[in-house]
Amino acid sequence: MNNKNPSAMYIPTYDDVLIAHKRIKPYIHETPVLTSSFLNNLTGAELFFKCENLQKAAAFKVRGACNAVFGLTDEQAKLGVATHSSGNHALSLSYAAGQRGIDVTVVMPSTAPQAKKDAVIGYGGVIVECEPSTSSREAVFSEVVAKSGADFVHPYNDPRVIAGQATCSKELMDQVCGLDIVIAPIGGGGMISGTCLTLSTIAPHIQIYAAEPVNADDAARSFKVGYIIADDAPNTVADGLKVPLKELTWHFVRNHVTDILTATEDEIINAMKLVWLRMKLVIEPSSAVSLATIIKNPEIFKGKRVGIIITGGNVDLDKLPWMSQ
């Protein structure tokens, strides 16, 4: 497996998902599935929220990070791990590395939410800041890895990470019967790829939708034209969805996703506020994009049983998006 050449990467299988789930079980929660009569009535659908905001480190990314970290040999682990991330993967990898007792360095945009930076530091991670663009992240990261020799755990374009993320939808299938649709946010595509991997194997009749901000809609545009379009520095309140697809995640998106729906900034913020108000759940803006697109496209979801993956709950409580500036 060559993490420096994504185009040559191994495409994970469902056997990898089963191995990953067994490997990471001691370090993760089996998160609950919650419902809301109010949101069912609002959308005309039966909604089942898979609450990864209640996961360790408050993000689904702990699954992929733990699978990568605990899959290392002792010899590999001695050099530690490193990544670049706007937040949730950074803090999740820091959590996983802390559980194994190895070093972790993360390159983070200077604009990343303070709550996510604090979590990385709290888990023992070392932060190297960069400019808020994909090109800056990757350039600074290359320097970090060249110095340390640490194992690169890509936030999403890594078969170990995708197999770990796939365990989320595996649990969802055990928790809820008769789903017609599963929807999750899309940025780089790690969660959607894991969802595709699981559902295409054990429940191929279920439609898979991805949800994306209009202000960072490179995946939706890629889906329409049939090749990857990569925006360098989109501006959206959904900070976890600013990164572009890569070769491995694009493989799953183009082969298994039914459609990619988009929501405006106001629609995302309103959906986030609805979940806080009606379900009493702390979710971050990126997690609200799926509900925003369901509310926006009732004709797709009306009368359906819909699984919604709530991806994380790491928010800066001093800068909630509906607060006046």
Side-chain angles (χ1 to χ4, degrees):
M1 188 186 302
N2 181 359
N3 287 343
K4 291 183 170 62
N5 182 12
S7 62
M9 275 185 180
Y10 167 75
I11 296 173
T13 68
Y14 193 65
D15 284 342
D16 295 311
V17 180
L18 297 177
I19 293 168
H21 208 193
K22 183 176 180 181
R23 177 183 288 145
I24 69 178
K25 269 192 172 182
Y27 310 103
I28 66 166
H29 294 311
E30 180 174 317
T31 51
V33 175
L34 301 181
T35 60
S36 166
S37 297
F38 175 86
L39 293 176
N40 286 352
N41 291 333
L42 178 67
T43 60
E46 285 187 84
L47 306 180
F48 300 88
F49 295 85
K50 177 65 169 164
C51 295
E52 290 293 288
N53 58 312
L54 303 178
Q55 184 55 267
K56 295 282 190 180
F60 77 91
K61 288 179 178 284
V62 158
R63 296 173 181 271
C66 283
N67 190 43
V69 166
F70 285 95
L72 295 173
T73 65
D74 290 342
E75 201 64 31
Q76 291 170 323
K78 286 178 182 177
L79 296 175
V81 289
T83 196
H84 54 78
S85 166
S86 62
N88 280 345
H89 178 66
L91 61 92
S92 295
L93 189 65
S94 299
Y95 163 80
Q99 290 295 305
R100 187 157 182 183
I102 63 176
D103 293 337
V104 55
T105 304
V106 296
V107 173
M108 296 184 75
S110 58
T111 55
Q114 191 60 44
K116 295 183 179 181
K117 292 180 182 178
D118 290 345
V120 168
I121 295 168
Y123 287 126
V126 175
I127 296 174
V128 178
E129 290 198 347
C130 65
E131 293 302 310
S133 68
T134 298
S135 56
S136 176
R137 278 165 56 153
E138 294 180 348
V140 173
F141 179 78
S142 294
E143 296 176 11
V144 169
V145 170
K147 291 177 182 177
S148 69
D151 186 274
F152 176 22
V153 183
H154 194 282
Y156 51 92
N157 201 52
D158 185 314
R160 303 168 298 177
V161 169
I162 289 173
Q165 317 308 28
T167 63
C168 180
S169 49
K170 176 181 178 294
E171 287 179 5
L172 179 60
M173 291 300 98
D174 292 335
Q175 293 167 308
V176 183
C177 297
L179 290 177
D180 302 300
I181 295 171
V182 172
I183 184 168
I186 188 168
M191 172 51 76
I192 278 291
S193 294
T195 303
C196 291
L197 173 53
T198 293
L199 298 187
S200 66
T201 305
I202 66 173
H205 60 283
I206 296 177
Q207 291 185 313
I208 301 165
Y209 282 83
E212 190 173 41
V214 167
N215 284 15
D217 68 343
D218 49 306
R221 287 182 282 127
S222 300
F223 192 73
K224 287 178 181 176
V225 300
Y227 55 85
I228 297 175
I229 296 172
D231 292 340
D232 191 42
N235 183 23
T236 174
V237 68
D239 61 276
L241 306 180
K242 293 182 177 182
V243 291
L245 295 166
K246 295 288 188 179
E247 290 87 348
L248 186 55
T249 53
W250 175 236
H251 163 81
F252 288 100
V253 169
R254 75 170 186 263
N255 285 306
H256 300 293
V257 168
T258 299
D259 202 0
I260 300 177
L261 308 175
T262 60
T264 66
E265 298 296 284
D266 284 344
E267 289 163 346
I268 294 166
I269 292 167
N270 289 338
M272 177 182 172
K273 194 172 182 180
L274 270 177
V275 172
W276 279 54
L277 181 65
R278 294 292 178 169
M279 298 184 72
K280 312 304 179 189
L281 286 175
V282 175
I283 70 168
E284 59 191 79
S286 299
S287 295
V289 181
S290 298
L291 178 60
T293 62
I294 292 172
I295 294 170
K296 187 176 184 177
N297 299 276
E299 71 284 354
I300 295 175
F301 300 96
K302 187 176 181 180
K304 306 287 181 154
R305 290 169 63 84
V306 183
I308 303 175
I309 298 175
I310 299 292
T311 47
N314 290 298
V315 291
D316 188 339
L317 295 179
D318 293 323
K319 295 181 180 178
L320 294 175
W322 52 79
M323 288 179 172
S324 59
Q325 299 301 309

